[in-house]
Amino acid sequence: MSYVKEIYDNLQKKHPYETEFLEAAKRILDSLSPIVEANEDLYRKNALLERFVEPERIISFRVPWTDDNGVNHVNLGYRVQFNSAIGPYKGGLRFHPSVNQSILKFLGLEQILKNSLTGLPIGGGKGGSDFDPHGRSDAEVMRFCQSFMTELYKYIGKDVDVPAGDIGVGGREVAYLYGQYKRITNLYEGVLTGKGLSFGGSLARPEATGYGLVYITAEMVKAAGKDLAGKRVCVSGSGNVAQYAIQKLQQLGAKPVTCSDSNGYVYDPDGIKLDVLMDIKQVRRGRVKEYADQVPGAQYVDGKRPWGVACDIALPCATQNEINGADAKALLDNGCWCVAEGANMPSDSDAIDAYLAAKILFMPAKAANAGGVAVSALEMSQNSQRLSWTFDEVDGKLHDIMKNIYKNVADAAKRYGHEGNFVVGANIAGFEKVANAMIAQGLV
Ligand code: NDP
Ligand code: 2IT
């Protein structure tokens, strides 16, 4: 039996209920086959894959908190410290009712390879809670964050593990978490990224994931002899990643025509008006439905995702498995020729098979959305130096990092005989460095 199959079968036996984790592990292991076959003796001797698929440590804890009516609640909290071969654990915190250990292990495994692709010294981790911030007051969110950090602070630190935001965790939550960490430890250190500008945050971190996604998309499109300008783009989601992807698309002359949330999507044939969207999301914490109430000509479609809208390019920026095989077919039938993933694992396996069979341009999440964590690592550098770089300096470094990721992913795909397959390219390019470091550091 092949080494990757052996590893996957064992994982399935050990963690039969962790569906999202098994799905991510299968896809990663399958696309690592070319490099594993080329190095099988070395990898087996070092139990490399056995170690790669198991987190170094998982912390799980209860998070008690009281709502504004005096009612007590208990949520679950986690931190998956997956791999520290090339740097301290690094990765976001997700607050969403769907969060469980399987989802955080899938996100943590992806994060290891993503972080390696950035070229910066960061290991892989992920954490979060099944807490739902929707509809909660600032005071409730603050009390929840304080309780969460009262347990988490024991396991993190600027050189140990540096969390950041993800779904449901933005600037407000990071600030509350930071305040509580500082209060408990008496340390003013860069233990979280995505902080406010007045307390160690980096310029361009809020923009970084969306901007980076568009930078790498532009690079891929350019290499195919095309141009982003004038292209119609379907974006999903309406949070941090979606908003800044829309902004950068517009700056580069493309036309994003959709955005969405978990209730439905908005189609604006004239192009999304970002000031309206940002006011709804950042100021009022509202729903995308309100956009169609405000903008003449825009349509709100309840209970659906935007993949039936005709476009050149699709940028899924909401959540995992938001494009299935039928959605991918609809995109392709309507002429979509490029997909780049802002969200983590938004396309399911059938969708990816459909893109690859149709030979469209496809950049998977771990490369396409790496700009966020890359600028997080730049925030860590600025904190260590006790300096703040300008917006243009950070944005310029982000742009270079995304161009390099594109080049490394395309080169790795070619080197291993899969030219143009950026799924194989991204997994192998990310894995090579981590594998070498794990082998060099011995059986730990
Ligand atoms: P936000 O919380 O800012 O926004 C999330 C958006 O996705 C909201 O519009 C939300 O709608 C929607 N969404 C969430 N869950 C679902 C669901 N189950 N079905 C449909 N829509 C959903 O998160 P981010 O923008 O930060 O994250 C979006 C994606 O990008 C995630 O996959 C995240 O892991 C990934 N990512 C984020 C990075 C970052 O720096 N923030 C970096 C790299 C990747 P609703 O309000 O209805 O829930
Ligand atoms: O999925 C991701 O890369 C993130 N949520 C960002 C993580 C980070 O540490 O900035």
Side-chain angles (χ1 to χ4, degrees):
M1 198 193 299
S2 79
Y3 186 25
V4 298
K5 178 145 179 30
E6 234 173 79
I7 294 294
Y8 181 73
D9 287 354
N10 270 331
L11 268 190
Q12 233 180 351
K13 272 187 216 129
K14 277 195 260 185
H15 310 290
Y17 303 113
E18 296 188 346
T19 45
E20 296 85 359
F21 173 61
L22 288 172
E23 188 183 338
K26 177 155 194 345
R27 291 200 216 167
I28 289 172
L29 287 167
D30 281 347
S31 51
L32 291 177
S33 291
I35 191 173
V36 172
E37 280 161 21
N39 297 282
E40 181 155 346
D41 292 347
L42 177 69
Y43 287 3
R44 278 192 188 269
K45 179 164 155 274
N46 285 280
L48 182 75
L49 292 184
E50 288 83 342
R51 292 188 287 143
F52 177 69
V53 295
E54 286 298 336
E56 289 175 19
R57 163 179 328 102
I58 299 177
I59 296 131
S60 84
F61 49 93
R62 67 175 186 238
V63 188
W65 61 282
T66 305
D67 70 22
D68 289 346
N69 299 316
V71 178
N72 294 328
H73 301 262
V74 178
N75 283 97
L76 303 175
Y78 306 89
R79 186 74 183 164
V80 178
Q81 297 183 330
F82 219 124
N83 192 303
S84 62
I86 64 167
Y89 311 106
K90 181 85 196 81
L93 295 171
R94 177 176 291 191
F95 291 171
H96 191 272
S98 63
V99 164
N100 57 35
Q101 192 163 295
S102 166
I103 288 187
L104 296 178
K105 279 176 68 181
F106 120 59
L107 289 164
L109 187 62
E110 284 278 303
Q111 197 82 43
I112 301 168
L113 302 177
K114 179 194 311 193
N115 292 3
S116 169
L117 283 172
T118 67
L120 300 166
I122 39 180
K126 198 86 189 187
S129 172
D130 59 359
F131 172 70
D132 185 358
H134 286 106
R136 291 290 173 193
S137 69
D138 285 353
E140 288 174 323
V141 170
M142 181 182 76
R143 287 197 294 278
F144 177 81
C145 288
Q146 290 179 340
S147 181
F148 185 86
M149 187 52 87
T150 301
E151 189 59 33
L152 186 68
Y153 88 93
K154 299 167 193 167
Y155 309 102
I156 61 177
K158 70 176 172 54
D159 298 315
V160 179
D161 181 356
V162 183
D166 192 79
I167 292 176
V169 178
R172 173 181 63 171
E173 291 75 17
V174 168
Y176 290 146
L177 291 162
Y178 187 70
Q180 185 71 351
Y181 179 86
K182 183 167 65 66
R183 178 193 193 190
I184 298 172
T185 61
N186 206 26
L187 293 171
Y188 206 104
E189 61 173 31
V191 66
L192 290 153
T193 58
K195 300 184 293 297
L197 290 181
S198 58
F199 50 97
S202 175
L203 284 162
R205 176 62 187 88
E207 291 85 353
T209 311
Y211 278 24
L213 169 67
V214 177
Y215 290 148
I216 200 168
T217 303
E219 207 58 24
M220 172 167 67
V221 164
K222 191 174 80 184
K226 298 184 182 184
D227 189 347
L228 270 190
K231 302 299 177 304
R232 269 169 68 97
V233 186
C234 269
V235 175
S236 67
S238 51
N240 172 267
V241 180
Q243 289 168 32
Y244 291 104
I246 289 172
Q247 185 167 72
K248 184 51 73 178
L249 284 168
Q250 291 175 338
Q251 287 172 4
L252 299 185
K255 193 193 228 191
V257 291
T258 64
C259 64
S260 70
D261 59 27
S262 52
N263 296 121
Y265 77 87
V266 161
Y267 171 50
D268 187 341
D270 294 332
I272 296 292
K273 278 134 207 92
L274 192 60
D275 52 339
V276 175
L277 181 66
M278 283 192 171
D279 180 62
I280 293 169
K281 296 303 298 180
Q282 295 192 6
V283 181
R284 294 190 270 127
R285 293 186 184 272
R287 313 297 299 160
V288 294
K289 181 179 187 303
E290 296 161 38
Y291 182 98
D293 299 337
Q294 263 173 266
V295 178
Q299 251 172 278
Y300 175 68
V301 182
D302 194 46
K304 290 232 159 68
R305 297 182 288 219
W307 312 124
V309 174
C311 64
D312 298 290
I313 297 170
L315 301 182
C317 297
T319 194
Q320 64 272 4
N321 293 332
E322 54 166 319
I323 304 184
N324 60 26
D327 297 324
K329 186 170 181 307
L331 282 169
L332 294 168
D333 287 349
N334 280 326
C336 173
W337 48 266
C338 174
V339 177
E341 298 183 323
N344 284 307
M345 211 167 79
S347 311
D348 78 4
S349 301
D350 294 340
I352 293 177
D353 289 347
Y355 310 147
L356 296 179
K359 294 197 180 309
I360 63 165
L361 299 175
F362 172 58
M363 190 55 72
K366 63 176 66 70
N369 71 30
V373 76
V375 172
S376 277
L378 300 181
E379 183 171 325
M380 290 164 70
S381 299
Q382 293 170 77
N383 292 166
S384 297
Q385 288 185 310
R386 299 188 189 284
L387 290 174
S388 302
W389 305 340
T390 63
F391 188 96
D392 286 349
E393 198 173 350
V394 179
D395 188 39
K397 286 185 199 294
L398 168 66
H399 203 160
D400 289 346
I401 288 169
M402 299 314 294
K403 283 189 190 167
N404 263 327
I405 294 177
Y406 175 74
K407 185 177 172 305
N408 292 338
V409 166
D411 286 355
K414 200 167 170 186
R415 247 187 310 128
Y416 283 88
H418 292 265
E419 188 167 0
N421 181 335
F422 302 142
V423 178
V424 168
N427 281 305
I428 291 185
F431 181 73
E432 263 179 331
K433 189 166 75 169
V434 176
N436 292 340
M438 287 177 73
I439 292 169
Q441 290 170 25
L443 194 69
V444 294

